[in-house]
Each structure stands twice: as C-alpha cells, then as structure tokens.
C-alpha cells in the first residue's frame, strides 16, 4: 500500500512540475511548432513519380541434359541485386544522355559535371519491392512533376532494354557453345562406329543387331541352351524312374493294382489276375463264415486256386521291378552322355564369347556416344525454338505519370512530429529548470533545511483582510498561523515578535498586517510597531497619519502614549514609522528602543515589529536581538535555499529565537500538494471583494514588492 501511495505521489510531483512551468512547456512547444511551420512553408515542394515493373530472374541459361524449364531459380538476393544494378552507371549514364540531364541541371548555360549529375540522380531515385511479388517500384522525386515522371520511365526503359540485350547475348553464346559440343559428339559417334565395324570383320563376329545393346542369338549360344534343356529333361526322367522303383519294392500283391494305377503303369497281367485273386479271398471268407470247416472240399479248392493267383502276381511284380531297374540304368547312361555334350558346348561358347569381347566393348562405346549425341541435338533444337519465345526479363506494368500533388514535405506529419518534439522538449526543459531551481518548493524543503516548523502556508494573491467585507476565506490561513504561534511559543510572556525575510518582496509586511488583524479579531490586545525605517507600509495599510511615530519617540523625549494611534479595528493599535531619519540603524540600536519594547510588552498582549529584510541591512538584526520571538517569511519558489540558511544564521548570530517559518505566496492551482493545507476555502462561499474602511486605498497583497 505504501509503495503505491509513494508511486502516486511521484506522479503528482511530476504533474506539479509541468503545471508550475507550463509557460516554459508552451513556449518550447510554440517555438518548435513555429520553426517547423516556417520550414514547411519555405521548403521546396517535391513530386514523386513511380513506375511499376515486373522483374523476373534471368532465363538465359541453356540446359543440355535437363528437361527443366529454362527459367531462373528463386533467390532471396535477386531483388537486392537488381536494386544495386538500377543505380549503376550502366543504367544511369544512358538515362542522363537520353534526357540531357547535364544541360537541364546545369546553371548559366554550363552543363553539370557527369559525376555530379550521376550523384544527384542517385539521390532523387529510390527503388523498392512489392512484398511477395516480382514487382519493383522505381520512384523519382523532383520539384518538376513532369521531369520526375520522365526520369522514372526512362530508368525503367533502359533497364528493360539492358536486361533483354543481356539475355539475348547470353542465349546466343550458350547456343554457340552447345552447337560446338554437338559437333564434337558427332565426330565421337563416327569414330566409335568405324572401330566397331573393323573389330567385327577381324574377329568374324556375327551381330544381327549392331545398333542395339540386346545380346545376339549366335549358334554357339543356341547349342548351349539346347544341351542344357536335354540334360535337365534326362535328370527329371531318372528321378521319376527311381521313385517308381522304390515304391514298387514296398508293395504287397493285393496292393499292386492300386499302386500301378497311382504310378501310371499299365500291366495287362496284373489287371486280369488281381481281380480273380481278390474274388477267391472274398469267397473263402464267406464260406468260413457260413459254418464250413477249413477241410471242406470247397474251401480247399478255393485256397488252391488263390495260391495259383498269388504266385502269378508275385512273378509279375518281380518282372516289373526288373523292367524299371533296367530303365533307370539306361536313363542314367543317357544323362551322363548329355552332360558330356553340354560341357563341350559350353567350352565352345566361352571361346566364341572371349573372342568377341573387344567387339562388345566397342559396341557399348558406340551406342553410349550415340545416345549422348541424340540428347544434345534434341536440346540444341529445343533451345533454338525457346530462344524465340523466351520469357520477358523485365516488363513495365504501370508507367510513371506526372503527380498532381507534392509528396514532400508532408505537412501534417511534420507538424505532428513537431508537436511531439515540442512537448517533449518543453517538458524536458521544465524538468531541467526544476532541477536547477534551488528555491523552496515544499514544506519538507523548509523543515529539513532550517530544522524549524512551518507555521502556515499562505496562498497567492491574499488580500489585506480588514479591507475585505465579511469573513474572507483567506483569513483562515492566518488563523492557522495564529494557532500555531500560540502552541509553539513555550513561554506565554514571550509576546514581542518581529517578522523577517531574506529579501524584499516576500510579503513580510502583508503577513504581519493580516496576522495582527487576525489576533485582534481573536480577542488579543495587539500593537503593531512599524520599525521598517527603510520603506514603511503599515500606515498605508491602516490609513493612519504618519507625521509622528517611532522616529519621533527615538529622537526626542515624547511619551509612549503620544505615538500610539488607534486603528479602525478593535483591539488593534499602531505606531507608525514617523519621519524617516538619515541614520535608522543608530536610532534602533538605542536604549530608547529597548525602553519602547519593554513598555509595549507590558501594555499589550501581542506586539508585532515590522522590519526591513535581515540581509543587506542591519535594521532587522537589531530588532531580532531585542524581541522575544522571530517569524521568518519565505516566498515560495523565489530565493535559493542558501539564502534561507543565511537568514537563519543571521538570526542565530544576534541571539534571536526563530519560532518558525511562514511559506508565503503559494500558487495552489499549480502546486496542488498545498491544497491539503488550504482546503478551508472550500467551506466559504462568500466571494472576496475589496472595501476600504476609512479612505480609498489600493488593496495590498503579499505579491507586492515590499520589504
């Protein structure tokens, strides 16, 4: 909570500085605004003409073995490069020559130097890019709108022509180099073809397709393939026979019929006998199941018949085994013969292949060289066709036109910036002056510097209270002063006061007059002694005769009562200064003055001595040494703090008792901090007006130049 209050207080302090020195702020603001206005008024009007142009990367590169389009690749440095190119002599010198800018910008018929013309042209020309596009804007500013448009259009035209010429030259150079490479490649193809033919004739190579990389079907190769197929078939046949033989050797007679069908073997004997054998077995089982014994004639007959069928089947099975075994042996012999034949075929083919190796290598070189030639010729003719339809490297989309209104100076922008600069400068100057100002600005300044309390804060333009009709709000400040005096004086008998100040014009006399009036209105019997023998003012404040007064008492033997004059205010008397002598110091520093102070002290409740400034003249010091209490009047924001220390030292040197300080002439409207001490005005609704009581007199205020 304390931190926030402190921060708020700091902000209010800053605002107070601005309010107090608002004249400085406004003066700086108006000065900057006036200077800017004069500059804007007399500044030359510049017109900016812009031409919009599309710029694409260079498409002049010729690709020999690639099918990608002949156009540039996106590059982040492309646009900055074009900016630099547009300001080179290759572009700007032709512009200068075509528009005769040296003669136009020269003086008295003398052409401007070419280098100076170039520098001036660069200065008035700007190049910017349109974001996320290939568009560039060339801007030229000049006091002549037509000249600005002509220069901008000419720069774009020269750049466009130069880009087109560079691209055509680059393409032509690339096509020439490509044609040379095609001719060289054609010679390589011819040499490779000639070498391949010579090797074919020397080696007797038969090649039915010399223009292809496919392998030729020479007789030796076909023989090897045929022998390999025969060997493979023989191997399959032998394996099949061996499988049949192994399965037949495991069969029983009764399984023979099914096995032969599975092995795909057709034997008439087995086909005829095996069913008869199976029927005999079935009939024998049927007879035995019907109750016939094994010795029954029919059973014995069937068994004898079954034995005959079984013997026939065994003989036929052995015959089949022998036949298949003979086939296995025969096919194995055939396989061995085929393997030998295959070896001879492979040997012959390897010899022929070794013999044609040099031819194959020459043929590969020829075919590869031919492919390169075909690709080169295709790219060459394609590039020649694309040369006629190449992409425009620079295209003007919007030519520059003479502008109707000037672009510079930007009046509102200049004035807006000037307003900001003026305010910042004024505020900065205000704070700088505030920093240099060592005068009293707050109650804390007084109390920390002098180590005495502030008895009251008197606002600016306070009137002479007894000249005002009714109870004026300003009187409350003096009531506060009276109350603080009552509480701060330790001894009730200390009733003689003098009000001092360091310099003239701090409101010392006005403060004394109003304080005395306030005390008198509060019931005190008050006496004012106008001891300011340099510039007396109290007689004017109260409208009394000043023909006889303090000086008469000090220089003659008249009585005390003779110089005391009553005023129109009840309980308030006045001893005017009287006729001013030549030596005021001598008469104040006398026994008569001490006697007067003693008499007044006994006769009145409160006695106030008006005195001149304590610095510069010694009158104030004399009075400070005689009275009981001293009140210092300090005008707000006027004299430096060192002067206050000198006033305090002067009082201390003469043995005076400094009761406190009255901070006078405070501008509450600016220094809002003091409104807390003067908020009593809010309780008064009666307007202030000046009404002299006895004789017309000009109201005095604490801002008057007085001692």
């Amino acid at each position: 909570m304390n931190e926030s209050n402190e921060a708020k207080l700091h902000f209010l302090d800053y605002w107070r500085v601005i309010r107090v020195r608002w004249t400085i702020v406004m003066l700086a603001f108006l000065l900057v605004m006036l200077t800017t206005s004069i500059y804007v008024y007399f500044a030359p009007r510049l017109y900016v003409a812009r031409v919009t142009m599309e710029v694409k990367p260079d498409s002049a590169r010729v690709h020999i073995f690639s099918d990608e389009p002949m156009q540039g690749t996106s590059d982040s440095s492309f646009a900055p490069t074009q900016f630099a190119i547009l300001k080179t002599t290759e572009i700007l010198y032709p512009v200068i020559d075509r528009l005769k800018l040296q003669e136009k910008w020269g003086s008295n018929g003398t052409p401007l130097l070419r280098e100076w013309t170039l520098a001036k042209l660069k200065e008035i020309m700007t190049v910017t890019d349109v974001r996320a596009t290939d568009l560039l804007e060339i801007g030229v500013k000049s006091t002549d709108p037509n000249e600005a448009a002509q220069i901008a259009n000419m720069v774009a035209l020269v750049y466009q022509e130069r880009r087109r010429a560079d691209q055509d030259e680059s393409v032509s150079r690339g096509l020439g180099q490509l044609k040379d490479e095609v001719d060289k490649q054609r010679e390589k193809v011819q040499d490779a073809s000639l070498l391949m033919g010579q090797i074919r004739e020397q080696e007797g190579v038969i090649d039915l397709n010399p223009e292809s990389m496919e392998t030729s079907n020479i007789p030796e190769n076909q023989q090897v393939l045929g022998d390999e197929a025969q060997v493979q078939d023989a191997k399959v046949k032998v394996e099949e026979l061996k499988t049949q033989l192994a399965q037949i050797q495991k069969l029983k007679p009764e399984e023979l019929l099914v096995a032969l069908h599975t092995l795909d073997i057709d034997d008439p004997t087995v086909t005829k006998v095996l069913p008869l054998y199976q029927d005999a077995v079935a009939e024998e089982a049927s007879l035995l199941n019907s109750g016939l014994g094994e010795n029954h004639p029919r059973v014995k007959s069937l068994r004898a018949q079954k034995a005959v069928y079984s013997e026939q089947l065994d003989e036929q099975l052995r015959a089949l085994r022998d036949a298949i075994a003979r086939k296995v042996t025969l096919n194995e012999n055939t396989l061995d013969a085929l393997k030998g034949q295959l070896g001879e075929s492979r040997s012959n083919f390897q010899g022929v292949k070794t013999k044609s190796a040099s031819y194959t290598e020459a043929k590969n070189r020829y075919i590869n060289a031919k492919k390169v030639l075909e690709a080169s010729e295709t790219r060459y003719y394609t590039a020649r066709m694309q040369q006629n339809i190449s992409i425009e490297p620079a295209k003007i989309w919007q030519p520059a036109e003479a502008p109707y209104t000037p672009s510079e100076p930007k009046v509102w922008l200049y004035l807006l910036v000037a307003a900001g600069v003026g305010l910042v400068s004024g505020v900065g100057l205000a704070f700088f002056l505030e920093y240099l100002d060592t005068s009293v600005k707050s109650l804390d300044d007084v109390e920390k510097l002098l180590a005495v309390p502030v008895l009251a804060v008197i606002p600016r333009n306070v009137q002479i209270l007894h000249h005002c009709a009714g109870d004026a709000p300003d009187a409350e400040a003096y009531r506060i002063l009276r109350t603080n005096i009552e509480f701060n004086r330790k001894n009730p008998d200390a009733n003689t006061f003098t009000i001092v100040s360091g310099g003239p014009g701090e409101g010392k006399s006005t403060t004394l007059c109003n304080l005395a009036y306030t005390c008198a209105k509060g019931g005190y019997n008050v006496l004012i002694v106008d001891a300011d023998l340099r510039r007396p003012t109290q007689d004017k404040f109260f409208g009394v005769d000043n023909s006889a007064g303090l000086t008469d008492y000090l220089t003659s033997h008249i009585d005390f009562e003779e110089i005391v004059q009553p005023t129109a205010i009840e309980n308030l008397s006045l001893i005017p200064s009287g006729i001013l002598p030549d030596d005021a110091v001598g008469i104040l520093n006398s026994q008569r003055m001490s006697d007067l102070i003693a008499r007044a002290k006994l006769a009145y409740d409160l006695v106030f001595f008006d005195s001149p400034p304590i610095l510069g003249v010694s009158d104030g010091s004399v009075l400070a040494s005689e009275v009981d209490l001293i009140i210092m009047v300090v005008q707000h924001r006027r004299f430096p703090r060192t002067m206050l220390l000198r006033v305090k030292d002067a009082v201390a040197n003469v043995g005076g008792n400094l009761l406190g300080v009255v901070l006078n002439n405070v501008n509450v409207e600016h220094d809002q901090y003091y409104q807390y001490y003067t908020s009593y005005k809010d309780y008064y609704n009666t307007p202030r007006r000046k009404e002299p009581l006895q004789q017309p007199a000009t109201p005095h205020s604490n801002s008057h130049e007085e001692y």
Side-chain angles (χ1 to χ4, degrees):
M1 186 66 179
N2 294 334
E3 294 180 358
S4 61
N5 290 336
E6 184 178 358
K8 183 177 180 181
L9 181 62
H10 289 330
F11 172 77
L12 293 177
D13 288 341
Y14 299 149
W15 176 241
R16 176 182 55 78
V17 172
I18 296 175
R19 286 178 61 100
V20 169
R21 303 190 182 275
W22 68 270
T23 54
I24 299 296
V25 176
M26 292 303 300
L27 181 62
F29 173 77
L30 294 176
L31 182 61
V32 173
M33 290 294 292
L34 179 62
T35 304
T36 304
S37 301
I38 294 174
Y39 169 78
V40 170
Y41 180 79
F42 289 102
R45 293 327 188 237
L46 297 178
Y47 298 84
V48 177
R50 290 183 174 85
V51 56
T52 302
M53 180 171 53
E54 182 180 7
V55 179
K56 292 187 176 295
D58 213 347
S59 61
R61 186 164 56 93
V62 177
H63 303 273
I64 299 178
F65 302 111
S66 177
D67 292 332
E68 65 181 11
M70 293 197 303
Q71 60 184 7
T73 304
S74 177
D75 188 0
S76 59
S77 63
F78 175 73
T81 302
Q82 302 311 307
F83 294 168
I85 291 175
L86 280 165
K87 291 190 176 183
T88 59
T89 56
E90 297 293 328
I91 303 297
L92 298 185
Y93 275 162
V95 174
I96 294 173
D97 296 337
R98 293 186 187 184
L99 296 179
K100 298 180 180 180
L101 296 180
Q102 290 182 257
E103 291 76 6
K104 286 184 179 180
W105 292 348
S107 59
N108 299 327
T110 303
L112 192 64
L113 291 177
R114 191 178 181 88
E115 292 77 9
W116 291 4
T117 306
L118 176 64
K120 182 177 179 180
L121 181 56
K122 288 182 178 181
E123 183 180 355
I124 66 175
M125 188 178 75
T126 58
V127 184
T128 57
D129 62 333
V130 181
R131 187 170 182 174
T133 66
D134 292 330
L135 298 179
L136 297 182
E137 285 188 352
I138 302 174
V140 176
K141 60 182 177 181
S142 174
T143 55
D144 184 359
N146 294 320
E147 182 185 64
Q150 289 177 358
I151 295 175
N153 288 326
M154 186 57 67
V155 170
L157 179 62
V158 171
Y159 174 78
Q160 184 184 42
E161 293 174 352
R162 185 56 186 267
R163 283 291 305 276
R164 187 184 298 114
D166 290 344
Q167 177 170 300
D168 293 342
E169 180 183 356
S170 180
V171 171
S172 299
R173 184 170 58 252
L175 287 176
Q177 295 175 355
L178 180 57
K179 187 176 183 302
D180 294 340
E181 294 297 327
V182 170
D183 293 339
K184 293 178 182 179
Q185 190 64 30
R186 186 176 290 111
E187 293 179 359
K188 291 181 180 180
V189 171
Q190 292 175 355
D191 294 341
S193 178
L194 181 60
L195 178 61
M196 183 182 68
Q198 292 175 354
I199 294 175
R200 186 172 61 244
E201 292 179 359
Q202 292 175 0
E203 301 295 338
V205 177
I206 300 174
D207 190 357
L208 301 179
N209 191 9
E211 298 295 329
S212 175
M213 292 297 295
E214 296 180 358
T215 305
S216 302
N217 294 325
I218 58 178
E220 290 78 5
N221 187 28
Q222 295 177 355
Q223 181 66 35
V224 171
L225 295 176
D227 291 345
E228 288 179 347
Q230 291 179 2
V231 169
Q232 187 65 27
D233 293 341
K235 287 182 178 180
V236 173
K237 187 63 175 177
V238 169
E239 293 298 327
E240 289 179 354
L241 293 173
K242 288 183 177 180
T243 302
Q244 290 178 356
L245 180 60
Q247 292 180 352
I248 290 174
Q249 289 177 350
K250 299 177 182 179
L251 294 177
K252 297 179 180 180
E254 59 272 13
E255 300 174 346
L256 186 59
L257 182 60
V258 178
L260 292 180
H261 179 72
T262 303
L263 297 174
D264 198 17
I265 299 175
D266 187 14
D267 191 322
T269 303
V270 175
T271 304
K272 180 180 179 181
V273 174
L274 185 58
L276 297 175
Y277 174 77
Q278 293 174 344
D279 292 340
V281 174
E283 187 176 357
E284 180 185 7
S286 177
L287 292 175
L288 291 175
N289 290 331
S290 64
L292 297 179
E294 293 183 0
N295 294 323
H296 193 277
R298 290 185 64 184
V299 175
K300 289 182 178 182
S301 175
L302 284 174
R303 286 182 176 178
Q305 193 177 7
K306 186 178 67 171
V308 174
Y309 292 151
S310 177
E311 183 178 356
Q312 289 177 354
L313 290 174
D314 289 338
E315 290 178 359
Q316 191 61 31
L317 184 59
R318 284 193 295 271
L320 287 174
R321 291 172 181 167
D322 294 340
I324 293 175
R326 286 193 298 271
K327 287 182 180 181
V328 170
T329 302
L330 179 61
N331 280 279
E332 287 179 347
N333 294 333
T334 302
L335 177 59
D336 294 338
L338 290 175
K339 287 182 178 179
Q341 184 179 348
L342 176 59
E344 293 179 359
S345 299
R346 286 178 174 174
S347 178
N348 294 334
F349 175 73
Q350 189 66 32
V352 173
K353 188 175 180 181
T354 303
K355 186 177 181 181
S356 61
S358 58
Y359 170 76
T360 302
E361 182 180 357
K363 181 179 179 180
N364 290 338
R365 285 199 299 268
Y366 164 73
I367 292 177
N368 291 332
K370 185 178 178 181
K371 288 182 178 179
V372 173
L373 176 61
E374 291 174 353
S376 300
E377 289 177 340
T378 301
R379 181 54 58 190
Y380 172 70
Y381 292 115
T382 302
R384 287 188 60 181
M385 288 187 292
Q386 289 179 342
Q387 182 183 16
N388 299 325
I389 57 173
S390 59
I391 301 175
E392 187 74 19
K395 181 178 180 180
I396 299 175
W397 284 100
Q398 182 176 334
E401 297 179 356
Y404 293 103
T405 57
S407 299
E408 294 183 10
K410 295 180 174 60
V411 177
W412 290 110
L413 178 61
Y414 277 45
L415 293 180
L416 183 62
V417 173
V421 172
L423 288 176
V424 172
S425 301
V427 172
L429 182 60
F431 278 97
F432 180 69
L433 293 177
E434 184 74 8
Y435 172 76
L436 296 179
D437 185 8
T438 60
S439 63
V440 171
K441 303 181 185 65
S442 66
L443 304 179
D444 293 338
D445 292 344
V446 177
E447 293 178 349
K448 290 180 180 178
L449 184 68
L450 301 179
V452 293
V454 175
L455 302 176
V457 175
I458 309 300
R460 177 178 292 184
N461 298 326
V462 171
Q463 303 295 321
I464 301 299
L465 296 182
H466 63 273
H467 288 173
C468 300
D471 190 8
D474 292 335
E476 190 63 28
Y478 294 96
R479 294 191 187 102
I480 295 174
L481 175 59
R482 180 190 65 191
T483 302
N484 288 332
I485 291 174
E486 291 172 348
F487 281 103
N488 280 278
R489 62 172 179 166
K490 302 296 187 293
N491 185 4
D493 295 334
N495 62 345
T496 57
F497 301 85
T498 185
I499 298 181
V500 299
S501 65
E506 293 194 68
K508 161 183 55 62
S509 298
T510 302
T511 301
L512 184 144
C513 173
N514 287 337
L515 176 60
Y517 168 78
T518 302
C519 292
K521 296 293 288 184
Y524 289 100
N525 188 15
V526 180
L527 173 66
I528 297 176
V529 179
D530 193 352
D532 185 356
L533 303 183
R534 306 284 181 171
R535 188 179 297 175
T537 57
Q538 299 299 328
D539 59 318
K540 299 180 181 64
F541 288 159
F542 292 98
V544 299
D545 184 17
N546 193 31
S547 59
L550 178 63
T551 56
D552 298 291
Y553 177 82
L554 297 177
T555 58
S556 64
H557 296 284
I558 63 176
D559 292 334
F560 175 78
E561 289 77 6
E562 295 180 15
I563 60 173
V564 176
Q565 299 186 28
T567 65
I569 295 92
E570 186 181 359
N571 299 326
L572 179 60
S573 302
L574 171 67
I575 298 178
S577 62
I579 304 302
L580 300 181
D582 295 332
D583 185 9
V585 178
I587 61 175
L588 288 178
N589 190 13
S590 63
Q591 184 60 41
R592 290 281 291 177
M593 186 63 188
S594 299
D595 294 341
L596 183 144
I597 294 174
R599 288 283 303 275
K601 182 178 178 66
L602 295 175
Y604 293 91
D605 297 331
L606 297 174
V607 182
F608 295 98
F609 290 86
D610 195 3
S611 67
I614 197 170
L615 299 180
V617 293
S618 59
D619 302 24
S621 299
V622 172
L623 288 173
S625 64
E626 295 287 344
V627 298
D628 297 325
L629 299 173
I630 301 169
I631 299 174
M632 182 192 301
V633 173
V634 177
Q635 183 164 341
H636 184 241
R637 291 182 175 273
R638 182 170 184 182
F639 293 114
R641 300 176 187 179
T642 54
M643 183 174 179
L644 303 184
L645 291 175
R646 291 176 57 195
V647 173
K648 182 180 179 182
D649 292 341
V651 173
N653 291 336
V654 297
N657 185 9
L658 183 60
L659 180 64
V661 174
V662 175
L663 192 59
N664 191 35
N665 203 30
V666 176
N667 189 349
V668 180
E669 294 180 357
H670 290 170
D671 295 326
Q672 295 181 349
Y673 170 75
Y674 296 103
Q675 287 185 355
Y676 298 105
Y677 299 91
T678 58
S679 58
Y680 51 81
K681 289 189 177 183
D682 297 336
Y683 295 96
Y684 291 85
N685 297 321
T686 304
R688 294 177 295 179
R689 54 191 179 88
K690 299 170 281 187
E691 288 188 4
L693 295 179
Q694 296 182 359
Q695 62 182 12
T698 302
H700 292 76
S701 68
N702 56 359
S703 61
H704 292 170
E705 287 294 326
E706 58 184 23
Y707 281 106

